[in-house]
């Protein structure tokens, strides 16, 4: 039987568990050690540590303290791992807890984190999703049902002292360019809410003052939110400290490319079954700077898509030079406007794009001045036909009958 080397108790606060942490720092102690070739199971909190509840209020999404997240299980030491190696991680299986068969999706208030479309959806909203085996549906977003592609949104190895210093310096410099921006340009270290695993006392305080926040992806991996890192995927992580220090968390039941709602997948606690191996000196051998991966061979199979195009001209008609970010935002907004014709609110359309297995593509970056991005929405996830026709939209959901809970800013 495979050992579960990190366990969690959903009835207890995540901060009471010394086998999890919410910052990146090279001094955080390993909580377990494995050998190359070992396989093992790790249990994970949802990224908020259980703060979001299964109810019909969005006040918890509005009020969550984003300085506390993410709660990651680890670090796990790997015998023989040294800086410059590649840590090979196979995802053998991933799942939800049978006693907790639900997840959540949310939009954060613009004043508390925002999101990809925060100017259009500036207030906190939430949808709850129930799991039916491999499928998910929501009482807040009717008319859709889709198979999950469960994956960890966040996984990576501990940074070296030099790498951590580099992260903090460049992000501090970015913040300085517009320190009062809402939402902020980046999240600097914040000692008071840092949970440093088994690091205690003065050592904890010193590390917490410099520990990197877990929000962005970086050279070591981190919060990349790649939906194809599911069962059967293999990831090659750069190793920066002796033992590697592998940590994982932020599990998602299903997600669209880009995780555009920020709390942008169907977030959940659960477990992941992994195997590790090493490629000695792999970073130099293969010229690796950031992780590379082999995707899962298992994914929801949809054969019909409606594809929405966006170009790098923003909502105000301003031209941007080959800006893929603007183009992808326009593709998302175009899709939401289309879904509103079938009775969905804008928020429900936004939630669908964040949680369904939609595909995002960079379709063109050479034809000046406009880049082109596309968003592929599988039509089979809907209970009705969303394809365009001569008679106009037919079917759909009853407008206003059900909507997502919303919380006004305090």
């Amino acid at each position: 039987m495979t050992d579960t080397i990190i366990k969690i108790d959903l009835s207890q606060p995540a901060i009471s568990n010394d086998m999890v942490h919410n910052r990146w720092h090279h001094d955080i102690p390993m909580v377990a050690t494995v050998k190359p070739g070992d396989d093992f199971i790790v249990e994970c909190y949802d990224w908020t540590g259980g703060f979001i509840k299964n109810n019909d209020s969005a006040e918890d999404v509005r009020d969550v303290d984003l300085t506390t997240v993410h709660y990651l299980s680890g670090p796990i030491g790997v015998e023989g791992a040294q800086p410059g190696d590649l840590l090979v991680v196979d995802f053998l299986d991933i799942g939800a807890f049978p006693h907790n068969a639900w997840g959540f999706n949310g939009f954060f208030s613009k004043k508390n984190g925002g999101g990809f479309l925060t100017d259009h959806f500036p207030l906190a909203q939430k949808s709850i999703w129930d799991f039916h085996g491999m499928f998910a549906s929501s009482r807040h977003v009717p008319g859709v049902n889709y198979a999950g592609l469960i994956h960890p949104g966040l996984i990576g190895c501990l940074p070296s002292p030099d790498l951590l210093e580099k992260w903090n310096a460049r992000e501090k410099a970015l913040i300085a360019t517009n320190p009062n921006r809402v939402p902020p340009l980046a999240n600097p270290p914040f000692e008071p809410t840092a949970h440093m695993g088994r690091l205690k006392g003065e050592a904890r305080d010193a590390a917490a003052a410099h520990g990197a926040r877990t929000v962005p992806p970086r050279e070591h991996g981190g919060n990349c939110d790649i939906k194809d890192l599911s069962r059967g995927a293999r990831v090659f992580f750069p190793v920066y400290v002796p033992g590697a220090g592998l940590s994982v968390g932020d599990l998602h039941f299903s997600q669209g490319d880009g995780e555009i709602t920020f709390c942008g997948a169907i977030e959940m606690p659960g477990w992941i079954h992994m195997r590790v191996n090493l490629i000695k000196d792999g970073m130099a051998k293969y010229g690796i700077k950031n992780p590379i991966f082999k995707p899962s061979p298992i994914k929801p199979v949809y054969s019909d898509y409606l594809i929405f195009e966006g170009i790098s001209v923003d909502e105000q008609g301003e031209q941007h030079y080959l800006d893929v970010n603007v183009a992808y935002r326009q593709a998302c907004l175009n899709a939401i406007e289309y879904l509103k014709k079938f009775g969905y609110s804008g928020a429900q359309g936004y939630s669908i794009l964040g949680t369904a297995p939609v595909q995002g593509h960079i379709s063109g970056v050479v034809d000046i001045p406009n880049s082109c991005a596309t968003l592929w929405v599988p039509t089979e996830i809907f209970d009705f036909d969303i394809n365009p026709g001569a008679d106009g939209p037919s079917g759909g959901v009853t407008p206003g009958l059900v909507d997502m809970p919303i919380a006004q800013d305090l």
Side-chain angles (χ1 to χ4, degrees):
M1 178 172 296
T2 302
D3 290 336
T4 299
I5 62 172
I6 297 177
K7 296 183 178 182
I8 66 170
D9 182 350
L10 297 180
S11 69
Q12 300 298 316
I15 199 168
S16 68
N17 191 328
D18 69 359
M19 300 187 81
V20 303
H21 60 101
N22 66 4
R23 298 291 191 271
W24 292 113
H25 195 281
H26 43 85
D27 287 340
I28 297 174
M30 309 294 179
V31 300
T33 302
V34 297
K35 297 178 180 179
D38 283 354
D39 70 284
F40 50 89
I41 294 172
V42 171
E43 295 181 349
C44 302
Y45 294 95
D46 78 76
W47 74 298
T48 71
F51 189 82
I52 307 301
K53 306 303 181 185
N54 186 348
N55 58 30
D56 299 321
S57 169
E59 291 182 0
D60 49 5
V61 172
R62 179 196 64 197
D63 298 339
V64 65
D65 182 355
L66 294 181
T67 70
T68 66
V69 297
H70 303 72
Y71 287 99
L72 306 179
S73 296
I76 300 165
V78 180
E79 289 187 9
Q82 292 295 328
D85 294 345
L86 287 178
L87 181 66
V88 185
V89 182
D90 289 300
F91 298 164
L92 303 180
D93 203 0
I94 315 175
F97 293 123
H99 59 281
N100 197 86
W102 65 276
F104 61 90
N105 171 253
F107 318 155
F108 283 109
S109 162
K110 185 175 181 178
K111 295 180 179 179
N112 189 29
F116 190 55
L117 302 181
T118 192
D119 289 336
H120 297 267
F121 300 92
L123 298 178
Q125 291 192 252
K126 181 174 77 177
S127 57
I128 298 295
W129 296 79
D130 294 311
F131 306 153
H132 314 282
M134 64 182 291
F135 295 93
S137 61
S138 173
R139 63 181 180 268
H140 298 129
V141 187
V144 289
N145 184 67
Y146 31 87
L149 186 61
I150 302 177
H151 60 280
L154 200 161
I155 184 170
C157 297
L158 292 179
S160 65
D162 288 347
L163 186 59
L164 177 62
E165 184 178 352
K166 180 187 296 184
W167 293 350
N168 285 337
R170 72 191 184 198
E171 290 169 26
K172 180 181 179 181
L174 177 63
I175 293 169
T177 65
N178 189 358
N180 298 317
R181 184 180 186 271
V182 177
L185 289 169
N187 297 287
F190 186 73
E191 181 272 333
T193 56
H195 180 42
M196 308 301 285
R198 293 179 175 172
L199 203 58
K200 305 298 181 184
E202 293 182 358
R204 176 265 170 207
D205 296 345
H210 299 284
R213 302 278 290 280
T214 61
V215 173
R218 298 184 179 95
E219 289 88 340
H220 70 146
N223 193 26
C224 295
D225 297 305
I226 301 171
K227 72 178 183 359
D228 298 292
L229 297 185
S230 187
R231 300 175 180 93
R234 171 176 288 180
V235 191
F236 303 82
F237 289 104
V239 173
Y240 294 100
V241 301
L246 178 69
S247 297
V248 60
D250 188 27
L251 300 188
H252 300 160
F253 187 87
S254 179
Q255 178 205 296
D257 280 340
E259 201 193 18
I260 62 172
T261 62
F262 183 29
C263 184
I266 301 177
E267 311 281 348
M268 66 171 212
W271 53 271
I272 178 167
H273 183 185
M274 297 184 286
R275 181 175 56 228
V276 295
N277 278 289
L278 289 172
I279 298 177
K280 301 301 293 180
D281 301 316
M283 291 178 68
K285 287 178 179 176
Y286 292 102
I288 299 298
K289 178 182 177 182
N290 297 80
I292 59 176
F293 73 95
K294 300 281 292 183
S296 170
I298 300 173
K299 60 184 63 181
V301 177
Y302 295 107
S303 59
D304 186 66
Y305 290 84
L306 202 56
I307 302 173
F308 296 87
E309 179 182 320
I311 59 173
S312 52
V313 177
D314 66 21
E315 299 92 293
Q316 289 73 44
E318 181 180 350
Q319 180 73 63
H320 297 260
Y321 178 75
L322 296 182
D323 192 322
V324 174
N325 188 67
V326 172
Y328 195 56
R329 185 167 68 240
Q330 295 308 304
C332 293
L333 290 170
N334 291 342
I336 290 169
E337 193 63 30
Y338 186 91
L339 292 176
K340 288 166 64 175
K341 303 300 182 183
F342 291 86
Y344 288 112
S345 68
Q348 289 171 325
Y350 189 20
S351 185
I352 290 170
L353 301 186
T355 60
V358 304
Q359 298 179 23
H361 293 259
I362 299 173
S363 299
V365 290
V366 296
D367 298 314
I368 60 171
N370 285 334
S371 59
C372 175
T374 50
L375 184 76
W376 297 44
V377 179
T379 62
E380 295 122 310
I381 67 173
F382 296 90
D383 295 342
F384 45 87
D385 186 5
I386 68 164
N387 289 294
D391 297 330
S394 61
V397 299
T398 303
L401 182 64
V402 178
D403 205 353
M404 294 171 52
I406 187 170
Q408 298 293 326
D409 285 337
L410 296 174

